[in-house]
């Protein structure tokens, strides 16, 4: 079945440094979704990318969908302590199921 | 607008017992999804209900089951609990048919501990 791999599993940065997490699928995706889960919290939807090569920005966060629609990345510029959490990508299997990556846990030290 | 709610917040059971977890979706959402989040394993899809019917299930044994009520709330039942069932169980709802079509709204989860 489809696999969605995320790297790195964990990253610890100093506040102000940049952060990037990568998501790779074994199959072509119709779209990709990104979620953030704060420690002790639940996943919260960030964004959905649909088009090949699409780039979307949300303040300091930049999301990219690869040209082949098999990979995606989330880049955070100048991290803040509020960025702490686990970032998940998720890709659909058909229209009825989402396969989540195992997530990248981000720690930000002040 | 109220978000997705789940109860109980925490549940402690003994191996072999049954657990029942409840979820109320956002008003107007007809689809409810259940996930298991065990340590180090990410989010694993369990079940999808829409309009009272089970639409899809993940790779879990039959002792994981559930139902959706006419008001779209849902119940997850786990029979013959095993130690490895200890996890955070998350419920999500969506106004779109199918998880892959758009945003899901997650509830706070039920932390199930099996001893």
């Amino acid at each position: 079945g489809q696999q969605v791999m995320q790297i790195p599993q964990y990253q610890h940065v100093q506040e102000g440094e940049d952060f990037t997490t990568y998501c790779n699928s074994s199959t072509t995706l119709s779209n990709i979704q990104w979620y953030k889960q704060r420690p002790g919290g639940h996943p919260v939807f960030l964004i959905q990318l649909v088009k090949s090569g699409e780039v979307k920005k949300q303040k300091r966060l930049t999301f990219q969908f690869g040209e082949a629609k098999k990979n995606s990345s989330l880049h955070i510029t100048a991290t803040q302590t509020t960025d702490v959490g686990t970032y998940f990508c998720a890709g659909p299997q058909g229209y009825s199921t989402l396969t989540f990556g195992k997530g990248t846990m981000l720690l930000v030290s002040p | 607008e109220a978000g997705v709610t789940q109860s109980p917040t925490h549940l402690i059971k003994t191996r072999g017992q049954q657990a029942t977890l409840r979820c109320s979706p956002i008003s107007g959402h007809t689809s409810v999804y259940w996930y298991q989040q065990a340590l180090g394993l990410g989010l694993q899809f369990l079940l999808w209900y829409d309009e009272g019917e089970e639409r899809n299930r993940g790779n879990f044994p039959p002792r994981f089951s559930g139902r959706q009520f006419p008001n779209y709330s849902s119940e997850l039942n786990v029979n013959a609990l095993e130690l490895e069932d200890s996890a955070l169980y998350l419920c999500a709802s969506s106004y779109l048919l199918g998880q892959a079509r758009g945003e899901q709204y997650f509830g706070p989860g039920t932390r199930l501990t099996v001893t």
Side-chain angles (χ1 to χ4, degrees), chain A residues 25 44-45 54 56 72 75 79 88 105-106:
Chain A
S25 169
V44 173
F45 176 82
E54 188 169 13
K56 285 190 176 180
S72 181
H75 179 81
T79 54
F88 294 95
M105 185 186 297
L106 173 64

Side-chain angles (χ1 to χ4, degrees), chain B residues 14-19 63-64 77-83 85 114:
Chain B
T14 305
R15 193 169 54 180
Q17 287 186 317
Q18 180 200 36
R63 57 190 187 82
F64 287 84
N77 294 294
V78 188
N79 294 317
L81 284 165
E82 299 179 1
L83 295 177
D85 296 332
V114 183

Side-chain angles (χ1 to χ4, degrees), chain A residues 9 30-31 33 35 37 40-45 48 88 91-103, chain B residues 33 35 37 40-45 48 55-56 88 90 97-109:
Chain A
Q9 279 186 285
S30 58
N31 68 73
Q33 300 178 24
Y35 291 78
Q37 185 173 21
H42 57 274
V44 173
F45 176 82
Q48 180 180 21
F88 294 95
Q93 275 187 307
Y95 77 93
S96 63
T97 306
L98 264 184
T99 300
F100 281 80
K102 291 190 176 179
Chain B
Y33 313 91
Y35 293 88
Q37 187 173 34
L41 293 179
L43 282 153
Q44 305 289 316
F45 167 68
W48 169 28
R55 297 297 186 122
N56 199 12
L88 179 66
L90 291 160
L97 186 64
Q99 301 152 284
R101 291 187 174 172
E103 179 175 358
Q104 292 180 79
Y105 298 81
F106 283 83

Side-chain angles (χ1 to χ4, degrees), chain B residues 26-102:
Chain B
I26 290 173
S27 177
H29 289 188
T30 62
S31 277
V32 171
Y33 313 91
W34 286 95
Y35 293 88
Q36 182 194 66
Q37 187 173 34
L39 211 57
L41 293 179
L43 282 153
Q44 305 289 316
F45 167 68
L46 266 166
L47 289 159
W48 169 28
Y49 291 95
D50 185 76
E51 296 286 358
E53 292 195 12
E54 182 181 302
R55 297 297 186 122
N56 199 12
R57 66 180 294 128
N59 190 24
F60 282 84
R63 57 190 187 82
F64 287 84
S65 65
R67 53 181 172 165
Q68 187 178 34
F69 300 98
N71 66 355
Y72 303 114
S73 66
S74 177
E75 197 173 84
L76 174 68
N77 294 294
V78 188
N79 294 317
L81 284 165
E82 299 179 1
L83 295 177
E84 50 265 35
D85 296 332
S86 294
L88 179 66
Y89 288 84
L90 291 160
C91 169
S93 75
S94 170
Y95 62 90
L96 292 169
L97 186 64
Q99 301 152 284
R101 291 187 174 172

Side-chain angles (χ1 to χ4, degrees), chain A:
Chain A
Q2 177 197 71
Q3 290 190 347
V4 176
M5 310 295 289
Q6 261 187 276
I7 55 170
Q9 279 186 285
Y10 171 85
Q11 188 151 9
H12 186 179
V13 300
Q14 294 292 315
E15 193 171 22
E17 292 182 335
D18 292 356
F19 160 77
T20 305
T21 173
Y22 300 91
C23 182
N24 293 289
S25 169
S26 57
T27 59
T28 301
L29 301 169
S30 58
N31 68 73
I32 193 153
Q33 300 178 24
W34 285 91
Y35 291 78
K36 176 184 177 182
Q37 185 173 21
R38 294 181 186 275
H42 57 274
V44 173
F45 176 82
L46 292 176
I47 208 160
Q48 180 180 21
L49 304 173
V50 179
K51 299 177 185 175
S52 167
E54 188 169 13
V55 178
K56 285 190 176 180
K57 292 191 176 186
Q58 290 180 351
K59 296 182 181 178
R60 296 177 295 103
L61 277 61
T62 302
F63 303 85
Q64 291 190 344
F65 200 10
E67 294 290 340
K69 302 183 77 173
K70 294 180 73 172
N71 58 72
S72 181
S73 65
L74 158 59
H75 179 81
I76 302 178
T77 303
T79 54
Q80 300 175 358
T81 53
T82 52
D83 295 324
V84 164
T86 300
Y87 293 85
F88 294 95
C89 64
Q93 275 187 307
Y95 77 93
S96 63
T97 306
L98 264 184
T99 300
F100 281 80
K102 291 190 176 179
T104 296
M105 185 186 297
L106 173 64
L107 252 185
V108 181
S109 295

